[in-house]
Amino acid sequence: MSTTESSGPAETEAVPAAAAETISSSGPAEIEAETAPASEENVTLSEILGDENVQKTLEKTSEVLGMGNTGTMETVDKILKKEEPNPDERLASIRELFQYATASDLFILAVGLVCAAAVGMAQPLSIVLFADIMNVASGTLFDDISGELNKVVIKFLIMGACCMGAGWIYAAAFKVTGYWQAARWRRHYLDAILRQDVGWFDTNNPTELPSKIAESTLKIEEGISGKLGEGSRNFAQAITGFVLAFVYFYDMALLLVVLVPLPAGGAWLLQKVTASTAVLMSDAYAKAGGVVSESLGSMRTVASLQGENRSVQKYDAHLIEAQNANVQKGIWCGFAKGVLFGSGNFMVSVAFAYAGWRLSTIVKDSEEEDGTNCMMRGDCKLIGGDILIGVFGMQIGGQGLGLIEPAITAVTEARKHAATIIDTIRRKPVIDTQATTGKKLEKVDGMLELKDVIFKYPSRLNTNVLNGMNLKVEAGTTVALVGGSGSGKSTVIQ
């Protein structure tokens, strides 16, 4: 057993000013609980705020909260409206997010990124094969139509097989490394929580910590696994689609750049509506389940108070919330799909109108004296396949661009939760249960004594829960701590 000696009172944010010591003397233990006498007169708020002690307390609280010297009512208003700083606003760096990734994890992630990019590139590249089919079927560029079509079909089969293999590899790679890294985050987070002192638990509700650990590590896992792979795939799809459109039909691609936000916005709205309504439905069902658990756990109390009907009404109300969320999902998903497909059709109509005008200009300029033109000779600068690639390359690229946002959101959420965990891991409590330093006692008699202990909780820095506390507990004796609510009984035990 080890303990650290203290020569006098010291001020900390969450621990006693005088540490508990183990000594060899004996004596009685006394605890007195003082309570303020109750006033029998009616006191107005103005009289309370006009009291000199109350004003001093408000001024001290104002200084602690960094509000400056203001009037009494202004100070009360500021204290009531004071917002605690949110530590979740800090974002962890990408390096910190992947700090628990091993060399094998990084290698698997690299392979997953390559395979995800390959799958994303496959969709716009398939438009090139469709364009080849169109060019072959026109019968003006190739003599052996059947042979050329067979070549395109074989290319389709090869691309499909590659996409299937690459899709399986990238999905498995991101999931596996996500599981491994999340497990390491969970282990280090739990170790850090168990190391904290009682002051830390005053500002972090212990009953919420299990769900907080699960939620935070799950957000990190989503940000470094599946969502990251989907974002890589959609990004590759967008870049490849835009590049192909500009290579094959650059002037029409320049025209369609103005319309790209339409399919991108439709894709973004569709996934946003799906995700948000899923959260609303999940919350509603969770509340309904909470009502059931609470009612069944306190069945006798509910029955004695004749609250069965009220519990049923609360349960039905939460189910109605879920139903309304599902109805909203249907309405907004229908609207989002309308925007997505309507904008796509609008892009196609604009593109084909421009392509028709452009092709007619080329054909007219290529007319010879004998009445032939480039369409008859098969030497036009613009062919049907190029038009197809230009139109659908921009459309597919725009849709891929709109689907990148969920991945960015997931990574941002992962960085936010990672920052919270890192702050907890890096926090070193003043009383560190895992520390190997301090004085090691050769003999322990089992008698405990507190000397002049001053203690205040981080959430109430202006209130001393223990103010010069003295307590001596002999070995083998039983001591009862008696006092009013808030007198420090639980604090002494902790």
Side-chain angles (χ1 to χ4, degrees):
M1 175 179 179
S2 65
T3 183
T4 304
E5 292 186 342
S6 176
S7 59
E11 297 207 357
T12 62
E13 64 172 357
V15 298
E21 299 180 351
T22 305
I23 62 175
S24 59
S25 61
S26 62
E30 295 183 359
I31 301 178
E32 296 183 358
E34 298 182 359
T35 58
S39 176
E40 297 179 355
E41 299 179 357
N42 294 328
V43 183
T44 63
L45 177 61
S46 60
E47 292 177 351
I48 295 176
L49 296 179
D51 186 83
E52 182 179 355
N53 294 328
V54 174
Q55 290 184 359
K56 290 182 179 180
T57 302
L58 290 174
E59 291 176 0
K60 192 172 183 180
T61 305
S62 178
E63 293 176 1
V64 171
L65 297 176
M67 299 177 183
N69 294 326
T70 58
T72 302
M73 292 305 298
E74 289 81 357
T75 301
V76 173
D77 186 63
K78 287 186 177 182
I79 292 174
L80 293 176
K81 295 181 179 180
K82 178 68 175 178
E83 294 183 359
E84 294 294 330
N86 186 7
D88 294 340
E89 293 300 323
R90 189 180 79 83
L91 296 180
S93 63
I94 298 298
R95 184 175 182 179
E96 289 177 330
L97 185 61
F98 289 94
Q99 63 179 336
Y100 295 121
T102 61
S104 58
D105 290 331
L106 295 177
F107 174 76
I108 294 174
L109 280 174
V111 174
L113 285 173
V114 173
C115 292
V119 174
M121 294 170 62
Q123 186 171 0
L125 287 175
S126 64
I127 301 299
V128 178
L129 298 182
F130 277 114
D132 292 340
I133 292 178
M134 177 180 290
N135 294 333
V136 171
S138 65
T140 58
L141 301 178
F142 303 96
D143 295 330
D144 187 8
I145 297 178
S146 178
E148 295 297 331
L149 287 177
N150 289 336
K151 292 180 181 179
V152 176
V153 170
I154 293 174
K155 292 179 182 179
F156 262 118
L157 292 175
I158 295 174
M159 179 179 291
C162 292
C163 282
M164 182 178 67
W168 177 81
I169 291 174
Y170 101 77
F174 280 104
K175 282 294 183 183
V176 169
T177 57
Y179 289 147
W180 291 346
Q181 294 180 68
R184 299 186 192 106
W185 277 100
R186 194 176 296 111
R187 183 174 65 252
H188 285 85
Y189 194 17
L190 180 59
D191 291 341
I193 289 176
L194 296 177
R195 192 180 71 244
Q196 302 305 318
D197 50 27
V198 65
W200 184 84
F201 290 97
D202 181 55
T203 55
N204 295 271
N205 191 349
T207 60
E208 298 177 356
L209 290 177
S211 59
K212 187 175 182 180
I213 294 174
E215 180 185 0
S216 298
T217 53
L218 180 61
K219 291 292 184 181
I220 293 176
E221 181 182 331
E222 290 178 354
I224 61 178
S225 58
K227 292 295 183 181
L228 184 59
E230 293 176 5
S232 304
R233 183 195 66 197
N234 293 324
F235 180 75
Q237 173 183 325
I239 296 300
T240 305
F242 293 150
V243 169
L244 290 177
F246 276 95
V247 169
Y248 281 87
F249 200 172
Y250 74 92
D251 49 344
M252 187 176 69
L254 287 173
L255 173 64
L256 296 181
V257 164
V258 182
L259 303 178
V260 165
L262 294 177
W268 172 83
L269 181 61
L270 180 60
Q271 63 83 25
K272 193 71 174 179
V273 168
T274 304
S276 60
T277 52
V279 171
L280 292 176
M281 292 175 63
S282 177
D283 291 343
Y285 283 125
K287 292 178 182 178
V291 172
V292 173
S293 300
E294 182 181 357
S295 300
L296 293 178
S298 306
M299 186 179 298
R300 293 183 179 180
T301 304
V302 173
S304 64
L305 298 176
Q306 298 181 351
E308 297 92 336
N309 292 333
R310 183 177 180 182
S311 297
V312 171
Q313 291 174 359
K314 290 173 63 178
Y315 179 75
D316 290 340
H318 293 312
L319 291 184
I320 291 175
E321 290 181 10
Q323 180 182 356
N324 294 335
N326 201 15
V327 172
Q328 292 180 7
K329 177 183 178 181
I331 295 174
W332 283 103
C333 281
F335 175 75
K337 290 180 180 179
V339 172
L340 177 62
F341 295 112
S343 61
N345 292 332
F346 180 69
M347 283 187 67
V348 171
S349 61
V350 171
F352 282 157
Y354 175 79
W357 171 81
R358 185 79 172 82
L359 185 58
S360 65
T361 303
I362 293 175
V363 171
K364 185 177 181 180
D365 294 340
S366 65
E367 290 182 353
E368 301 290 344
E369 295 181 356
D370 56 358
T372 60
N373 54 48
C374 63
M375 291 290 292
M376 300 177 181
R377 298 189 300 269
D379 58 356
C380 282
K381 299 179 181 179
L382 181 64
I383 57 179
D386 296 344
I387 298 174
L388 188 69
I389 296 172
V391 173
F392 291 103
M394 294 298 295
Q395 186 179 14
I396 293 174
Q399 292 175 358
L401 192 64
L403 294 174
I404 294 176
E405 191 270 342
I408 297 176
T409 302
V411 173
T412 303
E413 287 292 323
R415 294 174 61 192
K416 185 184 300 183
H417 287 273
T420 303
I421 296 177
I422 291 172
D423 291 341
T424 305
I425 294 174
R426 292 177 178 175
R427 183 183 184 273
K428 294 182 179 180
V430 179
I431 301 178
D432 193 349
T433 58
Q434 299 180 359
T436 57
T437 59
K439 182 179 179 180
K440 295 184 179 180
L441 302 178
E442 298 178 357
K443 182 181 179 181
V444 178
D445 295 330
M447 190 270 292
L448 300 177
E449 183 178 5
L450 303 180
K451 287 184 178 180
D452 297 327
V453 175
I454 301 174
F455 183 85
K456 59 183 68 176
Y457 283 104
S459 59
R460 292 166 289 169
L461 294 176
N462 60 332
T463 302
N464 287 343
V465 181
L466 301 178
N467 192 9
M469 174 75 178
N470 291 285
L471 171 65
K472 187 179 291 183
V473 181
E474 295 289 347
T477 62
T478 301
V479 176
L481 304 179
V482 182
S485 177
S487 61
K489 303 184 298 297
S490 301
T491 303
V492 172
I493 301 300
Q494 292 175 346

